[in-house]
């Protein structure tokens, strides 16, 4: 007796079907047991495999199959075999079916347990990452380095998992990370731009699941982590930017205070200095003074004139000298400076490259002050190239701003120096070479024109100063 009339037609045509194939077909749902069995509980059996044309293996004459189901899906089956024909009796089937049902429930538990463990792993991984990112003390480098170490723990085979984060030019990875294995990749998007990737690999071959050897939940996990990292980076970049702005404000504030102080002192000194100079010049007019005294008076006059120059510069820095604003062509001012200095630069082995844009509108500015800015910048560059080098002067403009840049291939500056260059009397030069007022004056002039000055320099690699002056409507 058997119920094998439910076999597919093609199988009959092709001769004997193997029991193994039949089992696979049942599991894959290609044999619909329900069509043939009116009872809700499925079974498939044969008490005579020869008659049923089933190749069940050597000496197997009877078999009975009971699908193990879960969520209306066959997840396995219970197969009984016997070398005797007519071994199975339909009376026993309910018992076997109960066993199959119990197995289905057990598997269901097993799968639920497995899923739960995986979710706990993933959530723990996410939680650890969230804890890390909440920490304010860690740098971005430290955070990414720690995240990459946490990542493998969230995957199905943590012992075989390795991770890597690539962000801009930096790479953070676990020690055994190697390219060329099965991997899950997600993009790191920062401010809508892809700036890197995050990858997890298995260093051993693992069975195929949803996406290669990876679970579909792991795809969600890696995407969530990539998003989380993107947000951390965005936040960090924003706070660095904020810090920079604050520092600039503090710097501007310090310079303004120094400016007020300098202006106060300059005014105080101006009067006595005027007297010293005046009386020295008056005394010198006296014919009766000895030659040596006249020589000494000359020194007093020279020193006083030098001091007056310094005071003038201090007042410019402190913006106490009002600018006389007229419409000017920036390129013309630049050319005048170059005419003045190019001879000296040529002698000192400095090669000058000039790139002046044709489309620069007139701007309102004080030509003699802008001239002073250029001279101070160019002289600094010359002094930074004692054995010659390259000097590049460039002008350009956009709709609101005119840019003048002076770039040299000189000695450059370190961070510490850059921080102080606009402070009056800050100098790294010998007493006779510099007073440290050049850039303070440049700063004062540029600020009083409503502009900005930017510095880019590296020790040993040269410096670039960029002046930005606003274009206001010139009537
Ligand atoms: N192009 C440059 N390359 C390297 N260092 C520079 C450059 N420009 C300025 N510096 C540094 O900044 C300092 C301050 O410059 P600043 O022009 O204010 O004063 P100074 O040149 O020393 O003296 P002064 O300009 O009053 O004669 C310099 O002493 C130098 O260390
Ligand atoms: Mg100078």
């Amino acid at each position: 007796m058997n119920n094998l009339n439910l076999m597919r037609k093609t199988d009959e045509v092709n001769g004997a079907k193997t029991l193994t194939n039949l089992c696979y077909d049942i599991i894959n749902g290609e044999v619909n047991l329900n069509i043939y069995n009116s009872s809700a509980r499925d079974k498939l059996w044969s008490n005579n495999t020869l008659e049923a044309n089933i190749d069940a293996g050597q000496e197997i004459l009877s078999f009975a199959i009971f699908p193990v189901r879960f969520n209306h899906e066959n997840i396995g089956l219970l197969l009984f075999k016997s070398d005797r024909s007519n071994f199975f009796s339909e009376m026993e089937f309910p018992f076997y079916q109960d066993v199959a049902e119990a197995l289905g429930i057990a598997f269901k538990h097993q799968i639920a347990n497995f899923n739960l463990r995986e979710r706990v792993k993933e959530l723990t991984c996410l939680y650890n990452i969230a804890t890390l990112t909440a920490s304010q003390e860690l740098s971005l480098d430290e955070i990414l380095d720690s995240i990459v170490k946490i990542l493998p723990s969230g995957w199905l085979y943590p012992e075989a998992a390795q991770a890597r984060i690539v962000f801009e030019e930096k790479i953070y990875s676990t020690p055994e990370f190697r390219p060329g294995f099965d991997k899950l990749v997600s993009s790191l998007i920062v401010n809508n731009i892809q700036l890197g990737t995050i990858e997890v690999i298995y260093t051993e071959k693992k069975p195929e699941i949803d996406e290669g050897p990876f679970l579909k939940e792991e795809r969600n996990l890696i995407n969530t982590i990539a998003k989380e990292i993107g947000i951390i980076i965005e936040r960090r970049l924003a706070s660095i930017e904020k810090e920079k702005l604050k520092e600039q404000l503090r710097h501007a504030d310090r310079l303004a205070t120094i400016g007020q102080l300098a202006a106060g002192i300059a005014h105080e000194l101006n009067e006595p200095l005027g007297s010293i100079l005046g009386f020295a010049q008056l005394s010198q007019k006296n014919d009766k003074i000895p030659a040596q005294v006249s020589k000494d008076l000359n020194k007093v006059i020279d020193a006083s004139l030098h001091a007056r120059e310094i005071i003038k510069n201090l007042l410019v820095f402190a913006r106490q000298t009002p600018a006389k604003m007229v419409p000017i062509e920036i390129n013309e001012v630049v050319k005048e400076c170059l005419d003045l200095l190019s001879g000296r630069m040529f002698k000192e082995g400095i090669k000058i490259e000039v790139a002046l844009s044709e489309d620069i509108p007139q701007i309102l500015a004080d030509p003699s002050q802008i001239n002073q800015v250029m001279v101070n910048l160019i002289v600094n560059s010359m002094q930074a190239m004692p054995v010659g080098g390259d000097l590049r002067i460039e002008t350009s403009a956009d709709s609101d701003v005119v840019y003048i840049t002076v770039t040299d291939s000189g000695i450059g500056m370190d961070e510490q120096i850059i921080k102080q260059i606009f402070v009056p009397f800050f100098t790294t030069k010998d007493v006779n070479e510099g007073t440290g007022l050049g850039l303070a004056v440049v700063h004062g002039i540029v600020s009083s024109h409503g502009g900005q000055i930017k510095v880019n320099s590296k020790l040993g690699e040269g410096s670039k100063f960029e002046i930005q002056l606003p274009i206001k409507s010139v009537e």
Side-chain angles (χ1 to χ4, degrees):
M1 203 212 290
N2 62 61
N3 70 345
L4 278 181
N5 55 345
L6 48 79
M7 277 178 62
R8 292 177 302 181
K9 275 210 170 75
T10 48
D11 296 327
E12 285 168 38
V13 175
N14 293 340
K17 183 179 181 71
T18 66
L19 186 56
T20 318
N21 281 348
L22 186 62
C23 289
Y24 275 121
D25 283 352
I26 291 171
I27 290 174
N28 292 336
E30 281 168 27
V31 174
N32 188 349
L33 300 170
N34 278 329
I35 296 176
Y36 303 95
N37 294 286
S38 54
S39 81
R41 306 175 85 185
D42 305 328
K43 59 196 172 285
L44 178 68
W45 84 98
S46 167
N47 269 334
N48 190 333
T49 51
L50 298 176
E51 211 174 75
N53 200 18
I54 283 278
D55 172 9
Q58 255 187 346
E59 294 172 7
I60 301 299
L61 291 176
S62 303
F63 70 85
I65 295 173
F66 304 90
V68 174
R69 327 198 87 203
F70 169 55
N71 269 357
H72 308 292
E73 200 184 309
N74 296 332
I75 55 172
L77 48 78
L78 207 55
L79 169 65
F80 297 94
K81 297 186 211 172
S82 169
D83 54 5
R84 298 207 325 252
S85 60
N86 294 317
F87 179 80
F88 296 104
S89 132
E90 274 190 81
M91 279 180 30
E92 299 158 355
F93 287 167
F95 169 72
Y96 295 134
Q97 280 163 331
D98 281 347
V99 174
E101 212 163 89
L103 270 178
I105 293 169
F107 281 145
K108 186 175 157 183
H109 249 85
Q110 201 56 24
I111 292 169
N113 251 332
F114 166 84
N115 284 340
L116 194 66
R117 267 202 314 272
E118 281 310 303
R119 288 314 78 76
V120 167
K121 257 172 24 190
E122 290 161 15
L123 284 175
T124 312
C125 177
L126 273 178
Y127 173 76
N128 287 338
I129 291 178
T131 320
L132 260 179
T133 58
S135 150
Q136 293 297 324
E137 297 98 60
L138 296 177
S139 68
L140 189 56
D141 264 347
E142 289 168 321
I143 290 182
L144 294 182
D145 206 46
S146 308
I147 289 180
V148 95
K149 286 186 188 123
I150 294 174
L151 277 174
S153 69
W155 263 253
L156 180 56
Y157 310 105
E159 66 296 334
Q162 298 283 328
R164 175 168 79 171
I165 297 174
V166 179
F167 171 58
E168 291 194 312
E169 266 120 55
K170 289 198 177 147
I171 294 176
Y172 310 82
S173 92
T174 48
E176 306 285 310
F177 187 95
R178 307 268 178 284
F181 290 99
D182 283 326
K183 64 175 176 182
L184 261 191
V185 186
S186 191
S187 305
L188 280 187
I189 311 280
V190 178
N191 294 326
N192 297 326
I193 302 167
Q194 189 191 335
L195 289 185
T197 51
I198 157 169
E199 297 159 79
V200 174
I201 59 155
Y202 282 141
T203 52
E204 294 160 19
K205 198 79 201 144
K206 296 290 179 191
E208 298 273 314
I209 323 175
D210 298 325
E211 188 177 332
F214 301 102
L215 295 164
K216 60 179 187 302
E217 288 81 7
E218 289 167 346
R219 157 59 56 203
N220 291 339
L221 179 65
I222 198 167
N223 286 347
T224 308
I225 294 173
K227 231 185 254 166
E228 184 75 14
I229 296 178
I231 293 171
I232 303 166
I233 297 175
E234 273 172 26
R235 252 192 248 135
R236 289 288 162 133
L237 291 182
S239 86
I240 291 172
E241 201 50 39
K242 212 164 122 194
E243 258 323 296
K244 250 201 215 151
L245 254 161
K246 262 196 203 156
E247 177 53 35
Q248 272 172 11
L249 277 177
R250 271 198 292 270
H251 191 224
D253 218 32
R254 259 200 321 269
L255 281 182
T257 314
I258 294 171
Q260 284 166 0
L261 197 73
I265 295 171
H267 281 304
E268 289 296 318
L269 285 181
N270 230 358
E271 224 174 286
L273 194 64
S275 304
I276 295 171
L277 194 60
F279 282 110
Q281 282 166 339
L282 207 65
S283 307
Q284 228 193 12
K285 285 198 179 126
N286 190 337
D287 310 332
K288 291 175 199 134
I289 54 168
Q292 184 56 44
V293 175
S294 171
K295 243 190 196 169
D296 292 347
L297 278 176
N298 258 339
K299 278 187 192 149
V300 173
I301 291 167
D302 280 351
S304 306
L305 286 173
H306 180 58
R308 201 164 69 174
E309 200 54 34
I310 291 178
I311 286 174
K312 219 170 86 191
N313 277 335
L314 269 181
L315 290 174
V316 174
F317 161 72
R319 294 194 244 157
Q320 300 275 319
T321 320
K324 295 181 195 76
M325 303 294 235
V326 290
I328 63 161
E329 302 273 355
I330 278 294
N331 286 348
E332 291 310 313
V333 180
V334 173
K335 280 184 208 154
E336 273 168 33
C337 285
L338 286 172
D339 284 345
L340 196 75
L341 296 167
S342 57
R344 224 177 99 194
M345 282 195 266
F346 180 73
K347 266 192 227 145
E348 295 188 10
I350 294 169
K351 224 171 76 202
I352 313 169
E353 196 188 325
V354 185
L356 307 179
S357 161
E358 298 285 321
D359 321 307
I360 298 192
Q362 284 195 326
I363 60 163
L364 269 184
D366 181 327
S368 68
Q369 288 195 352
I370 299 299
N371 184 64
Q372 201 178 351
V373 166
M374 291 312 296
V375 170
N376 286 353
L377 291 182
I378 296 172
V379 168
N380 277 350
S381 286
M382 285 165 60
Q383 290 172 331
M385 299 186 285
V387 288
D390 297 319
L391 178 78
R392 183 179 162 83
I393 296 175
E394 221 172 318
T395 58
S396 62
D398 58 27
S399 54
D400 308 313
V401 179
V402 168
Y403 302 86
I404 314 164
T405 60
V406 177
T407 315
D408 65 58
S409 62
I411 53 174
M413 295 173 270
D414 63 21
E415 289 281 334
Q416 223 35 47
I417 292 186
I418 295 175
K419 274 190 188 152
Q420 307 176 71
I421 51 176
F422 298 115
V423 174
F425 302 112
F426 171 79
T427 181
T428 55
K429 295 168 192 168
D430 284 344
V431 188
N432 295 329
E433 257 186 71
T435 49
L437 278 178
L439 287 179
V441 166
V442 168
H443 191 276
I445 292 174
V446 172
S447 304
S448 72
H449 280 74
Q452 281 191 48
I453 175 161
K454 298 206 162 142
V455 192
N456 232 314
S457 183
K458 257 194 183 151
L459 204 60
E461 289 180 24
S463 311
K464 175 176 172 180
F465 284 82
E466 181 185 88
I467 307 282
Q468 301 180 1
L469 296 171
I471 300 172
K472 294 175 195 132
S473 64
V474 176
E475 251 96 84

